[in-house]
Amino acid sequence: MPVLSEVLTALDALWPPERAEGWDAVGTVCGDPGAEVSRVLFAVDPVQEIVDEAVTLGADLLVTHHPLYLRGTTTVAASTFKGKVVHTLIKHDIALHVAHTNADTADPGVSDALAGALDLRIVGPLVPDPSDPAGRRGLGRICELPHPMTLAELAAHAAERLPATAQGIRAAGDPDREIRTLAVSGGSGDSLFDDVRAAGVDAFLTADLRHHPASEATQKSPLALLDAAHWATEWPWCEQAAAQLDAVSDRHDWGLRTHVSRTVTDPWTAHAASTRLVTPTHTPGAPR
């Protein structure tokens, strides 16, 4: 049975912390390097619900994609929700390790898992990592569909293949437009519109698309947009990451038991479809 320091060395080899963005907070949040590890839980968010799941599971290590403290803190008091997370982890001897932007650009990374969930053929990274001579690492992925789909069909396909959330999939563009090529980026992707347009793809699937960037993107080009829930675009990475650690465990004969949380931690919990139509209340040219 390995100790935590050995498992962390393996995780850092999969997702080197030096490849994280400068603003990011990756790596080990808490944990005794000499403690034995037999069970590992993977999840997107280090929230109390996930930590309680790790306790119930008897996990020794929780690996999450999102950081617990992204902007630092001056307290871990249990009266704060993040402090309670830390207290619970330490009380139950559970380590917490974060792989965020270093997992986004990895090979394979978050967008590879997203493309795999959608049955897409990956052509290459959307924003290549210049330090990778093989040209495989980088942010986002450029993909080809297995067969052409209309935008409406592609949105339905994504809704079927990604984990269910209250938001589902939103689409911008002509629903009948034929889509053959697609860029994907797990998590918030509206900073990548220039790269997506330069790639010449028919559509872009990501999360957290805001009104103004999305509106401008559709005005500048015929690019179709698909907006999924942030959590849903990143959850497939948890299964991929667990499989990667399983492979390391098999090579070292560690006998680790890995688990993937299926608890939906997307913050949105309900969706009501709009039904009211906007009708004119003023005749053009008539006095108000």
Side-chain angles (χ1 to χ4, degrees), residues 7 10-11 14 40 42 241-250 254 256 258:
V7 179
L11 297 182
L14 292 171
V40 183
F42 286 83
Q244 289 178 272
L245 184 56
D246 281 338
V248 174
S249 175
D250 290 343
W254 283 345
L256 289 178
T258 62

Side-chain angles (χ1 to χ4, degrees), residues 219-234:
Q219 293 298 312
K220 286 182 177 180
S221 74
L223 178 70
L225 304 177
L226 296 104
D227 182 39
H230 190 121
W231 174 86
T233 65
E234 294 180 331

Side-chain angles (χ1 to χ4, degrees), residues 16 29-30 34 49 56 80 89 103 107 124 137-138 145 176 186 188 212 215 218 230 234 260 265 268-269:
V29 178
C30 64
E49 192 174 8
T56 301
T80 65
L89 290 167
D107 173 34
R137 291 198 310 267
L145 274 65
D176 295 323
S188 304
H212 292 296
S215 177
T218 56
H230 190 121
E234 294 180 331
V260 175
T265 54
W268 305 107
T269 56

Side-chain angles (χ1 to χ4, degrees), residues 2-284:
V3 296
L4 178 62
S5 61
E6 293 175 301
V7 179
L8 294 180
T9 297
L11 297 182
D12 284 345
L14 292 171
W15 313 295
E18 63 269 18
R19 292 183 187 151
E21 295 290 337
W23 52 263
D24 205 359
V26 302
T28 307
V29 178
C30 64
D32 178 357
E36 291 187 339
V37 175
S38 64
R39 196 181 296 268
V40 183
L41 177 65
F42 286 83
V44 175
D45 297 302
V47 294
Q48 190 64 44
E49 192 174 8
I50 295 298
V51 172
D52 291 341
E53 183 179 343
V55 171
T56 301
L57 183 65
D60 308 295
L61 171 62
L62 171 62
V63 179
T64 64
H65 182 51
H66 289 154
L68 178 62
Y69 288 107
L70 184 58
R71 295 176 177 84
T73 186
T74 59
T75 178
V76 291
S79 56
T80 65
F81 85 88
K82 292 188 178 184
K84 184 180 178 182
V85 164
V86 173
H87 277 256
T88 305
L89 290 167
I90 294 175
K91 180 179 179 180
H92 293 277
D93 297 319
I94 302 172
L96 172 62
H97 186 82
V98 174
H100 192 210
T101 54
N102 49 330
D104 285 335
T105 58
D107 173 34
V110 171
S111 293
D112 292 286
L114 174 57
L118 297 172
D119 288 331
L120 305 175
R121 187 180 78 82
I122 296 173
V123 177
L126 175 62
V127 185
D129 182 345
S131 68
D132 177 22
R136 295 176 60 88
R137 291 198 310 267
L139 190 60
R141 294 294 183 266
I142 299 171
C143 307
E144 294 178 348
L145 274 65
H147 56 84
M149 299 182 189
T150 65
L151 176 58
E153 290 171 338
L154 179 56
H157 174 71
E160 179 183 354
R161 299 306 302 269
L162 293 179
T165 60
Q167 173 182 318
I169 306 294
R170 300 189 299 177
D174 180 357
D176 295 323
R177 185 189 172 193
E178 185 177 85
I179 306 297
R180 294 176 178 269
T181 57
L182 174 71
V184 300
S185 182
S188 304
D190 63 13
S191 65
L192 301 174
F193 280 136
D194 287 343
D195 301 286
V196 172
R197 281 190 289 268
V201 293
D202 299 323
F204 179 36
L205 186 149
T206 187
D208 297 341
L209 291 181
R210 295 169 295 160
H211 174 88
H212 292 296
S215 177
E216 291 173 5
T218 56
Q219 293 298 312
K220 286 182 177 180
S221 74
L223 178 70
L225 304 177
L226 296 104
D227 182 39
H230 190 121
W231 174 86
T233 65
E234 294 180 331
W235 182 85
W237 172 80
C238 295
E239 291 192 314
Q240 176 180 277
Q244 289 178 272
L245 184 56
D246 281 338
V248 174
S249 175
D250 290 343
R251 286 199 302 270
H252 294 287
D253 197 25
W254 283 345
L256 289 178
R257 288 166 290 178
T258 62
H259 304 263
V260 175
S261 174
R262 281 162 171 75
T263 301
V264 178
T265 54
D266 186 77
W268 305 107
T269 56
H271 171 79
S274 302
T275 58
R276 180 185 175 188
L277 298 178
V278 177
T279 56
T281 57
H282 173 68
T283 302

